[in-house]
Structure formats: structure tokens, C-alpha cells
Amino acid sequence: MNGYSKIILFSLLTICGPFASGWAAERIPVFVSIAPQGYFVQQIGKDLVDVHVLVEPGADPHTYEPKPQQMVALSKTQLYFAIGIAFETAKLPKITAVNPRMKVVHTDHGIMKLPIANHDDHGKKDEHGEDHHQDGLDPHIWLSPPLVILQARSILTALQAVDPANRSAYEINYKAFILDLVDLDAQLRSAFDGLKGSRFMVFHPSWGTFAHTYGLIQVPIEVEGKSPKPAQLKELIERARANRIKVIFAQPQFSSKSAQQVSKAIGGQVVIVDPLALDWANNLRQVAEEFKNAF
């Protein structure tokens, strides 16, 4: 797509930039919880918004503590886009207390989330989920392009509400972003054509919603948010062998020790995939290629 690389570069530079003492001239100050959201907002807001990501790259969003300078910046922002991760449940009251005028937009509103399955569920739905997802539902809705289409509408509506003078510009950007998402979804469906039901093993169950979208099955190593015990690890190794799994996927925010143990036992390898990557669209393409190669 024409100008796509420029958009990505602009997004990365904006999101990664250090917090300044003041906001960029005439741009709407916006906060998001995680980097992929920053990408979404940037596609719709372009140079009309100043996007800041709360959970810094490489940090674990389940346990992240906002830094003092971030709290100062939050006191000046107009919009906060939430996405339904556990971190927000714990921290949003504190964040809104420093800026009661800030509008919090829950971009996950109305989205049906999937139950999280443990490794011993064999595809069954988990009723309890992980310790850090107390409702038992998978919060990783940003990893499914069709669900991002729904989130994009919430972003558009919020931006138009706080900046009605640029309503048409946001609408144009939004429509272009939707076309990109439809195109990305088609590419991913094509990549997994004929692979329905294929299993992949991950340490942390971040990719369940992605797997459901494209007809795959995620096999997590974690058990209710914790590393597996020896007996559970043995079962995982046996399951990996039975399903001829040779690649274990881990992510940079968590230890890969258990993944390495399983990988060594099955004579496989560990591949790092990041569900929180800044370059969201290209990252999903690369992850899809890694999954496909593993099959």
C-alpha cells in the first residue's frame, strides 16, 4: 500500500518518543494501555493526535506500575483508550483520580471474548482462567483483525467527539484503516488455508483469540498463569510429541525457561513472538509465517 511504511515509521516515532514537558502543538493528547492500541489510534488520528503508551515496550502489562512522569502526563491528557486488560482494572481508578476530566474509552465494549483454555483442556473452555484474568476471558482482542475493526469504530467516535472540527479527516483515515484491516485479514486467512485445526504450543496463552479467528488451536504451557509443575510439564512434553510439535513459542515479556525445557525434551526449538509489538500489522504477518512454518 502506498505510504504504508511512512505511516508505520511515523507511528513508531510518535509512540516511542520520550514524554515531553508539554504536548505537541494543536495535537490531541491521547493515552493507550499497550503499544498495538497506539498503532490503531495513530492510523485514525494521524498527525492530529499525540499518542502515548502507558505500558512501556518489554514490560509485562499484568504487573506494570505507571511511572511518576507518566502520571504527570496523564493529568494533561484528554482521552484514555482502555482495552480490558487486568492492569486497567487495578490502575484506572488511580489514573482517573489525577485527571477527572479525562474521558476513558473502553474499546473492548461489546466484544465477545473467548474463555482461556489451560493446556489440559484439550480444546474445552476454561471456566476459571488465569490468576491475572479473573473473569476467565481472553483479553488479547487486539490480535484479531476482525475485532480490531470493532475497536477502530470506538476510537473514531471518541476522536470525533473531542475534536469535531476534524471529523471528516478522522472519517477518511478510519475508512483507509478498515480497508487495511480487511486486506490483512484476507492475507492471514490465505496463509492458514488448509491448516484448520493445526496446533501450536506457547508458553503464555496470548494467541488464543488469534487462533480462534483463523481456525487454529493454541496449546499453552502455563497453568492458570503459573509455570507448570513437573507432572504437568511431563504431560506437555508427551502431548507435544503426540501432536508432532517441534516449535515452542514464547514472548519477550515472560521467562522462556519452561518453553526451553519442553523444547529440549522434544528436540525442538523456541521461537519468540511478541503480542505487544509496536509494528502491529507487519508483526501479525511475521507471526503467521512463524506459525505456518511450525506446522
Side-chain angles (χ1 to χ4, degrees), residues 70-132:
Q70 291 179 310
M71 296 302 293
V72 172
L74 280 162
S75 70
K76 304 173 185 178
T77 196
Q78 291 189 38
L79 287 172
Y80 188 104
F81 289 103
I83 198 168
I85 57 178
F87 157 84
E88 295 166 349
T89 303
K91 304 303 178 187
L92 270 180
K94 179 180 178 181
I95 290 171
T96 54
V98 303
N99 186 357
R101 295 170 298 178
M102 176 183 68
K103 179 176 177 57
V104 177
V105 180
H106 296 275
T107 60
D108 62 325
H109 180 72
I111 293 178
M112 297 293 292
K113 298 176 183 177
L114 300 172
I116 296 175
N118 288 320
H119 76 261
D120 55 352
D121 289 329
H122 299 281
K124 297 178 183 177
K125 294 182 178 179
D126 177 29
E127 296 179 354
H128 304 292
E130 301 174 74
D131 292 347
H132 43 254

Side-chain angles (χ1 to χ4, degrees), residues 43-44 46 156 160 166-179:
Q43 303 310 299
I44 299 171
K46 298 291 180 71
L156 169 68
Q160 289 179 325
N166 289 300
R167 183 180 184 87
S168 295
Y170 294 126
E171 184 76 28
I172 291 170
N173 297 339
Y174 163 78
K175 289 179 178 178
F177 183 39
I178 296 301
L179 290 176

Side-chain angles (χ1 to χ4, degrees), residues 241-252:
R241 287 171 175 161
N243 287 280
R244 299 181 180 179
I245 292 174
K246 288 295 183 181
V247 179
I248 313 298
F249 293 97
Q251 67 185 72

Side-chain angles (χ1 to χ4, degrees), residues 170-213:
Y170 294 126
E171 184 76 28
I172 291 170
N173 297 339
Y174 163 78
K175 289 179 178 178
F177 183 39
I178 296 301
L179 290 176
D180 288 347
L181 291 172
V182 170
D183 183 52
L184 174 60
D185 181 53
Q187 291 176 34
L188 296 176
R189 292 186 188 281
S190 177
F192 295 120
D193 185 39
L195 295 173
K196 186 175 181 179
S198 295
R199 297 172 183 265
F200 62 94
M201 186 170 283
V202 298
F203 173 70
H204 182 72
S206 298
W207 297 93
T209 299
F210 178 92
H212 177 79
T213 302

